[in-house]
């Protein structure tokens, strides 16, 4: 990484130059630097609406970058150790779709763990690829899906030598990492692409003590959520390419679904965040790791909670652990994670990332301060004091192996009917069901509905998880394929 | 020279104090601290641009937050002061001989040093042999304390600044736990006059009301506070702030005060109608624990 060059911010600087020129706009957007929408200016401020501008020669064009956006992308590639990088404005969902659509077309197989984000399966609906799922091992106590074990993947690869790619989710929401290098080598051994969903891993590129990142492991593509740990605006993301990829083709794929009016607010935020990461990432994430580790120790000292860390590492399904993640197992105080999540928000004015059946996840980042950590720990201690219950009704595992009856695309577009959920056992589902967050499907289009799955959905609903996916808003009904 | 310090009390209201000199300015890990000298208020100290106290009016605040609970609780031995790094509260507490220990918990060491240098009349309170100063986060200090104190004074002023954590449900809960069965907690309750400040004030009462069986609010006039008007909260497990006020006992102590009197003590709990109304609304809105 060229540190001198990383001090530059080509998009941000171009916007500054443009602002000073005071160009009279006879182009879109129609709010014309906010003058046509005073309330918006009141909300966002003049500086913000002033740079909400259209693509034009001095500002380049994201669909076909030749000047400042191209430079910004080259700087991203340099900072992340990639052969090529794309700035993305459709969230990491668009980066994930870019990967899957670049690797597969209709009828191609792709090997992926079941605990992928819905964006990956949505990409399969778009392109018609066939998923070959690998059961992620589940930690029996914590109820969380783990990483991919090499032997499982090798078995799947050998049984599906025609597969085009292996899709790896690393690190998981909970901070679990797989043996990324070995997985990439395995993919390459069989001529497959290694695609990495690194939505929760931007910071891995900028701190030497954290688990290995996708580009360093030799992956072919990685979808990186800059807006999560990287500090850019929500919805901005990047897609990284390794040496083996043809960036012209990937660019065409991205342009199939990408907006032609990319927001300069998002792109400028990527530009600035990349600079900050390159120049200060090492120390920033050192601090984040320190805060998370302090929080873990303090939470574990309360008793009854289990904030897990590197002690989970087992050489296989938990090959490494991202210590910046703060996930806490709550069942030993008799409360589901989602119950603690709700209490934190409703009673203590603390919003955490998510709560699932057994865990909560608090997102620790470069914006956190020690006094906020103290509030979180203090609130957890108070929740234990006031709300702890006897431990009952332990739901052993959250992972239910799917039975794939047809491709997600075929299921999505097949004729379907709507049935009360209780009457759907044995039928093929045509829609997603998931708790959001984390947005990992319980059912995906094309999968057989079982009694076990319905019980799980009912349990999650009863505990207050936010359920998403189906047409029926209260998940009392499901769409299934007509027999 | 026309040199003014200004603090925005709302977007539309500004309080300004003519300043002779700026004596100190530095950023700590927690806040930016400035000290000014002024003709009207003497020296005053600010945190991130908000006045914390001035030489001229600190007596109101320190006397009201200490003497009110001390005139009620019959046998205070152990006191915890959260915040209070300036020493003013400790100074008032030092008048009481029956107190055995005063723990002052202040996260910002620089704040204490600055007060020692520029406000020796307050900071002298920290030199009392019964005082121990802990440079720690208040919430953290309280987390593992159980049944240890007779009186807890939350001396932090700003529910929106770096002391935000001391105005939360977990804080009131931790205080409740750290107090003996007849313990009292007093805290800053903000100023209810301006619209912007009303919600924090309501929320404080809601949380304290849920945490303590007896939860009352009293008032004082403090010129550098927003609208010159300030409230204090009185949360108690057993003693009522007026019914259990022991007038003769307090008078017998012969403590010299400039603001507090036992008459004023009773009067301070008589609140304006609009304040009474908003507090009562919160009491009715209480959620079930």
């Amino acid at each position: 990484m060229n540190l001198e060059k990383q001090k530059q911010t080509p998009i941000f600087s171009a916007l500054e130059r443009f602002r000073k020129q005071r160009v009279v706009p006879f182009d879109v957007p129609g709010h014309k630097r906010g003058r046509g929408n005073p309330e918006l200016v009141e909300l966002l401020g003049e500086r913000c609406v002033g740079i909400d501008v259209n693509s034009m020669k001095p500002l380049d064009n994201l669909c076909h970058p030749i000047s400042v956006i191209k430079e910004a992308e080259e700087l991203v590639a340099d900072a992340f150790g990639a052969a090529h990088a794309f700035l993305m404005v459709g969230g990491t969902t668009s980066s994930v779709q870019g990967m899957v659509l670049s690797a597969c077309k209709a009828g191609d197989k792709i090997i992926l763990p079941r605990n992928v984000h819905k964006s990956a399966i949505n990409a399969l609906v778009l392109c018609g690829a066939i998923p070959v799922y690998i059961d992620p091992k589940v930690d029996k106590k914590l109820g969380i899906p783990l990483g991919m074990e090499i032997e499982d993947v090798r078995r799947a690869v050998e049984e599906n030598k025609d597969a085009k790619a292996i899709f790896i989710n690393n690190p998981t929401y909970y901070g679990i990492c797989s043996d990324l290098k070995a997985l990439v080598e395995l993919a390459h051994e069989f001529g497959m692409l290694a695609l990495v969903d690194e939505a929760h891993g931007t910071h891995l590129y900028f701190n030497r003590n954290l688990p290995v990142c996708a580009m360093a492991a030799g992956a072919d593509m990685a979808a990186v959520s800059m807006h999560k740990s990287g500090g850019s605006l929500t919805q901005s993301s990047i897609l990284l390419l390794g040496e083996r990829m043809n960036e012209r083709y990937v660019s065409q794929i991205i342009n199939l679904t990408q907006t032609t009016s990319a927001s300069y607010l998002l792109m400028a935020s990527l530009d600035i965040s990349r600079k900050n990461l390159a120049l200060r990432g090492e120390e920033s994430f050192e601090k984040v790791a320190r805060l998370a580790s302090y929080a873990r120790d303090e939470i574990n000292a309360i008793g009854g909670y289990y904030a897990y860390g590197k002690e989970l590492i087992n050489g296989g399904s938990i090959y490494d652990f991202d210590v910046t993640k703060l996930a806490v197992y709550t069942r030993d105080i008799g409360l589901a994670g989602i119950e603690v999540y709700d209490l934190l928000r409703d009673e203590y004015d603390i919003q955490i990332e998510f709560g699932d059946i057994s865990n909560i996840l608090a997102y620790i980042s470069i914006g956190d301060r020690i006094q906020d950590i103290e509030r979180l720990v203090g609130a957890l201690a108070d929740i234990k004091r006031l709300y702890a219950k006897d431990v009952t009704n332990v739901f052993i595992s959250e992972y239910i192996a799917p039975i794939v009856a047809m491709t997600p695309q075929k299921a999505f577009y097949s004729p379907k009917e709507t049935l009360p959920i209780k009457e759907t056992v044995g039928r093929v589902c045509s829609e997603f069901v998931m708790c959001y967050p984390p947005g990992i499907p319980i059912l995906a289009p094309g999968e057989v509905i079982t009694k076990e799955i319905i019980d799980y959905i009912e349990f999650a609903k009863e505990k207050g998880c936010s359920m998403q996916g189906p047409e029926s808003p209260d998940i009392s009904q499901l769409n299934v394929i007509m027999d | 020279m026309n040199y003014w310090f200004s603090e925005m009390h709302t977007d539309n209201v500004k309080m300004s104090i003519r300043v002779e000199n700026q004596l100190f300015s530095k950023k700590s890990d927690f806040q930016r601290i400035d000290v000014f000298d002024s003709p009207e208020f003497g020296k005053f100290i600010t945190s991130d641009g908000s006045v914390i106290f001035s030489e001229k009016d600190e007596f109101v605040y320190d006397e009201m937050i200490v003497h009110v609970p001390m005139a009620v609780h019959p046998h205070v031995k152990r006191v915890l002061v959260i915040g209070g790094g300036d020493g003013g509260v400790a100074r008032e507490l030092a008048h009481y001989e029956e107190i055995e220990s005063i723990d002052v918990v202040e996260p910002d060491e620089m704040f204490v040093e600055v007060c020692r240098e520029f406000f020796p009349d307050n900071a002298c309170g920290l030199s009392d042999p019964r005082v121990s100063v802990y440079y720690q986060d208040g919430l953290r200090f309280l987390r593992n304390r159980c049944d240890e104190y007779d009186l807890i004074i939350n001396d932090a002023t700003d529910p929106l600044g770096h002391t935000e954590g001391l105005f939360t449900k977990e804080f009131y809960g931790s205080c409740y736990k750290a107090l003996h069965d007849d313990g009292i907690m007093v805290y800053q309750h903000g100023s209810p006059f301006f619209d912007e400040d009303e919600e924090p004030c309501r929320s404080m009462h809601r949380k304290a009301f849920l945490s303590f069986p007896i939860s009352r609010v009293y008032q004082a006039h403090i010129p550098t506070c927003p609208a010159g008007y300030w409230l204090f909260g009185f949360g108690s497990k057993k003693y009522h702030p007026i019914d259990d006020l022991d007038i003769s006992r307090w008078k017998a102590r012969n403590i010299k005060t400039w603001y507090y009197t036992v008459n004023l003590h009773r009067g301070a709990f008589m609140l304006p109608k609009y304040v009474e109304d908003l507090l009562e609304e919160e009491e009715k809105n209480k959620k079930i624990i």
Side-chain angles (χ1 to χ4, degrees), chain A residues 245-280:
Chain A
M245 298 304 297
N246 173 356
E247 87 255 19
R248 307 304 315 162
Y249 178 67
V250 177
S251 168
Q252 285 182 326
I253 292 285
I254 290 171
N255 276 315
L256 288 176
T257 51
Q258 177 168 274
T259 174
T260 52
S261 312
S263 162
Y264 276 89
L265 295 173
L266 298 182
M267 290 189 283
S269 83
L270 285 170
D271 205 23
I272 295 167
S273 305
R274 183 267 315 146
K275 179 185 95 172
N276 290 336
L277 289 170
L279 302 181
R280 290 190 288 279

Side-chain angles (χ1 to χ4, degrees), chain A residues 153-226:
Chain A
V153 183
R154 180 170 285 280
R155 205 174 312 120
V157 165
E158 280 174 353
E159 283 166 14
N160 300 277
K161 287 187 176 148
D162 52 342
K164 291 288 189 277
I166 301 178
F167 187 98
I168 305 153
N169 188 13
N170 194 75
T172 68
Y173 225 144
Y174 302 88
I176 308 292
C177 296
S178 305
D179 186 353
L180 203 52
K181 275 189 180 143
L183 288 169
V184 170
E185 278 165 24
L186 179 64
H188 291 169
E189 182 189 331
F190 286 83
M192 299 175 190
L193 294 175
L195 317 180
V196 183
D197 179 350
E198 237 170 3
H200 304 286
T202 310
H203 50 294
L204 303 189
Y205 288 85
F206 299 99
N207 188 282
R208 75 195 72 190
N209 298 320
L210 295 174
V212 67
C213 58
M215 286 299 120
D220 298 297
M221 288 192 256
V224 180
S225 268
M226 281 285 276

Side-chain angles (χ1 to χ4, degrees), chain A residues 99-147:
Chain A
M99 294 200 299
V100 173
L101 270 57
S102 299
C104 310
K105 54 186 188 303
D108 286 346
K109 284 183 185 166
I110 179 168
I111 295 168
L112 66 173
R114 190 52 166 75
N115 57 326
V116 289
H117 191 254
K118 66 169 176 178
S119 60
I121 301 174
N122 275 336
L124 303 183
V125 172
L126 289 176
C127 76
I130 303 164
V132 176
Y133 288 119
I134 296 179
D135 293 4
K137 296 289 181 292
V138 172
D139 186 290
K140 284 278 181 287
K141 180 181 175 200
L142 305 177
I144 60 171
L146 304 176

Side-chain angles (χ1 to χ4, degrees), chain A residues 6 22 77 107 157 161 215 217 352 432 474:
Chain A
Q6 288 294 333
R22 304 182 62 81
V157 165
K161 287 187 176 148
M215 286 299 120
I352 57 169
F432 283 107
D474 61 350

